[in-house]
Structures are given as C-alpha cells and as structure tokens.
C-alpha cells in the first residue's frame, strides 16, 4: 500500500462500510440488552405482585411436582409439614393422608381441563391457628397454544367467610 493510493480515498469506502457494519451490530446488541432488561424488570414486578398476595399459588406438572410457588404457598406448606418445600418436589407430600386421593383426582381432572374447587378445614395449623378453612382451586394452566401444560393450585384462606356463614346459620335457627 502506498501513500498515494490511500490519499486518493481508496480505503475510505471500506472503512466506512466497516464502521457502518460495526454500528449496526452495536445497535442490535444494545436493543437486545434493552429488551432483556425490560423482560427482567417485568418478571421482577410480576414476582413482587405474586409474592405479596395473601393467596397461595402453585404450578404443578403432570408428575404432581411443584414447578413454582409463591411466598404464601411456601409459608402454608412449610407451616404444615415443618419443612421447606422446593421446586421439583411432589406437592402431594404436603397433603394430609385423608385428602391424598381426592387431591390427586382433582389434579388429574384439572389436567383434563376441568376447574375443581375443594374446601377443607385444617385443625390446629401451626401458622394459621385452630380453625382454618381453606379453598383449594385446581385450575388448568394453558400454554399460548391453548394446551394444558400444568395445574395451578390456588390456596385461599376462607376462615372469615366460614365464620360469617356459621353466624348467619346460627341466627336463622
């Protein structure tokens, strides 16, 4: 390469092409990082909402294993069994023996697309007290292709509603 050819602008188009390609690649990488940041932020916000609710949520797979759960579900399970639940554990490990078959059946029905609701009275729960009523809803979890891929177990404390119901019944008799 001699100075004369470079001074006439021989390399200028090549350098410009390289710079434009580098700028385009850098722009794509920046957009990708921004999109990833937005997704992570949205996931953090969803987790915050899910973990601040007084309702327990659990996602169960076809092998009855917990795929995820929120803080309230974790707290309920931990209080019941005195052991911390973990992802991949069979959720039925936290079910009273007398409810094992009915909960397994409810889970199977939800996998078949049915919403199943079950009310239970938990006597002497270590965290929630003596008389605790819970509503368990076994709901099919659908993919974006509208196929059932799991079951969402929703656990609600309905103790106050049950107490109010009892008071109304007692007043009517």
């Amino acid at each position: 390469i001699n100075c004369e050819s470079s001074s006439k602008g021989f390399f200028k188009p090549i350098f410009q092409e390289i710079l434009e390609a580098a700028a385009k690649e850098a722009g794509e990488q920046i957009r990708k990082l921004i999109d990833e940041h937005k997704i992570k932020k949205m996931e953090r916000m969803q987790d915050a909402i899910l973990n601040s609710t007084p309702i327990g949520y659990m996602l169960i797979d076809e092998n009855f294993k917990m795929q995820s759960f929120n803080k309230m579900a974790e707290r309920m399970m931990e209080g019941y069994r005195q052991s911390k639940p973990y992802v991949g554990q069979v959720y039925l490990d936290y079910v009273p023996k007398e409810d094992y078959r009915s909960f397994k059946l409810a889970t199977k029905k939800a996998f078949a697309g049915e919403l199943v609701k079950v009310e239970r009275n938990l006597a002497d729960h270590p965290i929630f007290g003596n008389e605790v009523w819970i509503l368990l809803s076994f709901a099919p979890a659908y993919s974006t292709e509208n196929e059932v891929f799991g079951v969402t177990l929703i656990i609600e404390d309905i103790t106050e509603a049950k107490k109010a119901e009892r008071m109304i019944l007692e007043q009517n008799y």
Side-chain angles (χ1 to χ4, degrees):
I1 301 174
N2 64 37
C3 292
E4 189 176 308
S5 63
S6 61
S7 66
K8 293 181 181 176
F10 179 76
F11 290 108
K12 189 175 180 182
I14 293 172
F15 288 130
Q16 186 170 350
E17 189 176 317
I18 291 170
L19 286 173
E20 287 173 357
K24 182 179 178 185
E25 180 66 27
E28 288 173 10
Q29 291 297 322
I30 290 169
R31 276 191 291 284
K32 184 178 175 183
L33 288 171
I34 290 170
D35 289 345
E36 288 173 4
H37 177 73
K38 286 179 182 177
I39 290 169
K40 286 179 183 177
K41 182 178 178 182
M42 187 168 46
E43 287 172 349
R44 282 193 307 272
M45 290 187 329
Q46 288 174 339
D47 285 347
I49 292 168
L50 194 59
N51 283 316
S52 64
T53 180
I55 298 171
Y57 292 97
M58 181 187 313
L59 181 62
I60 304 165
D61 71 12
E62 67 277 356
N63 297 312
F64 305 98
K65 292 183 178 180
M66 296 180 279
Q67 297 304 302
S68 67
F69 45 83
N70 70 344
K71 294 288 184 195
M72 182 54 77
E74 178 181 39
R75 184 173 170 221
M76 289 175 170
M77 290 184 289
E78 189 173 2
Y80 179 72
R81 288 286 304 255
Q82 305 299 310
S83 66
K84 198 170 187 84
Y86 57 89
V87 171
Q89 185 176 20
V90 174
Y91 94 93
L92 293 166
D93 292 347
Y94 288 89
V95 173
K97 289 178 185 170
E98 61 271 15
D99 290 326
Y100 186 91
R101 291 176 67 171
S102 65
F103 281 33
K104 191 172 184 179
L105 179 61
T107 306
K108 287 181 178 183
K109 285 182 176 182
F111 263 106
E114 187 178 335
L115 173 64
V116 180
K117 294 186 176 202
V118 178
E119 290 183 357
R120 285 294 182 265
N121 184 347
L122 303 178
D124 298 321
H125 191 281
I127 290 178
F128 300 105
N130 291 338
E131 184 183 348
V132 177
W133 281 90
I134 58 171
L135 172 64
L136 300 116
S137 300
F138 297 81
Y142 290 95
S143 68
T144 54
E145 292 82 27
N146 206 28
E147 296 175 6
V148 177
F149 73 91
V151 170
T152 302
L153 176 55
I154 305 157
I155 310 163
E156 298 177 69
D157 182 347
I158 58 168
T159 305
E160 294 305 315
K162 283 295 193 180
K163 286 179 181 177
E165 181 181 308
R166 185 179 331 123
M167 283 178 52
I168 291 169
L169 289 173
E170 288 172 359
Q171 288 175 356
N172 289 336
Y173 289 110

